[in-house]
Amino acid sequence: MSPNLYHMARLVAPRPDRLLGRVAGDLASAGVPVFPCVPGQKRPLTARGFHDATTDLAQITQWWTRWPEANLGLPTGAVSGVVVVDVDVREHVDGRESMRRALNAGRAGVPVFTVVSPSGGRHGYYPATPGLVQRSWQAARAGVDFRGDGGYIVIPPSHTDAGSYRLVTVRQGAAGGIDSEALRDFLDPRPALKPRAADRGMAQSEPGVVVSRLAAWVAGLGEGERNRGLFWAACRAAEHDITPATAVDVLGAAAAEAGLGPREIAATVRSAYRTTHPTTSTASKTAGPAAASPVRVPVGAGWGLA
């Protein structure tokens, strides 16, 4: 079960009496697993890093008694129920502008809360989508990373030599998740599928031919590209007016061959059809949990980007 992110925001809010070990214990008591990082740094202190994260208060006490200045690490994804969009500010890349474009395009909604990092970047915290694998990824050219399954984030009141991690905004209203694959596809779009000579004219082909060719491509995807590839292929199917049910059946079979599970497949196809045709719904809603719909908001609202 996902933690209450509003309660989590209260626990990491700036207060003079909030020692690192005390916050670690309070988060653990609230069901948020944490682990220690090197004081003043982002590197884990324990041998297995974020895999050692726990809500065991005895272990938390032992760690912060031994390392009272240890920074706080939070594993992201299903293990904690929290995913984070990390907007970087570096010398040659300013992810804030990329995120403004994504907000304007409806590819991301307002996070439950936002943290400013010592470098001046922003971390937007969202609830993870239950039952859906949301893997971590990096869109380096856009200056935006996604911290989901297989990742972690350093959280307030941690600090580095450059400054502290600080809570800066908290959303008012109901919490919504984020479609991480739609955001990635917007920030770092896949190149167009290069047609073979026999495939030229695919746009004029019968729907059955189109979806068969897309399915053959999806079946050959490797690990790390399967979700994103399926999302891309389902968007192309939607553009060719292939019915959602057909896309789920044909592309789903190919994605299963590539190694995806049925719930993941159903959620990804639905997300692609909502992105391409916002009013479209699929006939297979019972096959798995729905991914979060993008929410259109004013530029920078709730993100501390204005």
Side-chain angles (χ1 to χ4, degrees):
M1 178 180 293
S2 296
N4 184 321
L5 266 67
Y6 290 100
H7 182 47
M8 182 177 171
R10 289 192 293 271
L11 294 178
V12 301
R15 278 174 49 185
D17 63 336
R18 303 300 284 159
L19 299 177
L20 288 158
R22 173 70 180 276
V23 176
D26 288 348
L27 287 168
S29 296
V32 181
V34 293
F35 64 98
C37 292
V38 174
Q41 299 182 32
K42 295 186 286 186
R43 182 166 53 88
L45 266 169
T46 61
R48 298 175 63 245
F50 66 86
H51 294 293
D52 286 323
T54 184
T55 58
D56 185 321
L57 289 175
Q59 179 64 76
I60 299 290
T61 300
Q62 180 181 340
W63 280 336
W64 269 272
T65 298
R66 181 180 181 185
W67 302 304
E69 296 302 316
N71 276 343
L72 282 165
L74 168 76
T76 49
V79 66
S80 64
V82 179
V83 295
V84 177
V85 175
D86 181 356
V87 180
D88 290 330
V89 178
R90 300 192 297 270
E91 183 178 356
H92 300 295
V93 177
D94 189 341
R96 294 173 297 187
E97 182 55 37
S98 300
M99 203 63 201
R100 287 189 188 100
R101 291 191 296 106
L103 288 164
N104 268 342
R107 291 300 188 269
V110 179
V112 175
F113 64 91
T114 306
V115 167
V116 64
S117 69
S119 66
R122 298 291 189 275
H123 298 166
Y125 286 70
Y126 299 82
T129 303
L132 178 65
V133 176
Q134 293 178 281
R135 293 187 177 88
S136 298
W137 50 257
Q138 181 181 52
R141 288 178 296 179
V144 177
D145 300 342
F146 177 75
R147 307 297 178 89
D149 294 294
Y152 74 92
I153 199 82
V154 175
I155 62 176
S158 300
H159 54 83
T160 69
D161 290 342
S164 299
Y165 293 84
R166 295 180 293 103
L167 180 75
V168 289
T169 67
V170 180
R171 177 183 180 173
Q172 300 300 314
I178 187 167
D179 189 333
S180 57
E181 290 302 312
L183 177 62
R184 181 182 183 181
D185 201 59
F186 176 81
L187 295 172
D188 186 21
R190 296 186 63 84
L193 186 63
K194 186 176 181 180
R196 300 170 299 174
D199 290 343
R200 307 256 168 86
M202 179 174 168
Q204 289 79 38
S205 299
E206 292 294 323
V209 175
V210 172
V211 76
S212 294
R213 290 172 180 169
L214 288 170
W217 181 76
V218 168
L221 292 172
E223 187 174 359
E225 288 295 321
R226 295 176 300 196
N227 284 87
R228 192 178 178 206
L230 175 60
F231 179 85
W232 181 88
C235 285
R236 303 294 80 78
E239 291 169 356
H240 283 82
D241 295 323
I242 292 164
T243 66
T246 298
V248 169
D249 289 343
V250 181
L251 296 181
E257 184 178 338
L260 293 181
R263 293 167 66 85
E264 200 170 356
I265 290 167
T268 301
V269 172
R270 281 200 300 273
S271 176
Y273 270 74
R274 280 198 300 271
T275 299
T276 309
H277 302 306
T279 59
T280 299
S281 61
T282 69
S284 57
K285 286 187 176 180
T286 58
S293 300
V295 179
R296 186 172 295 279
V297 297
V299 175
W303 254 98
L305 300 175

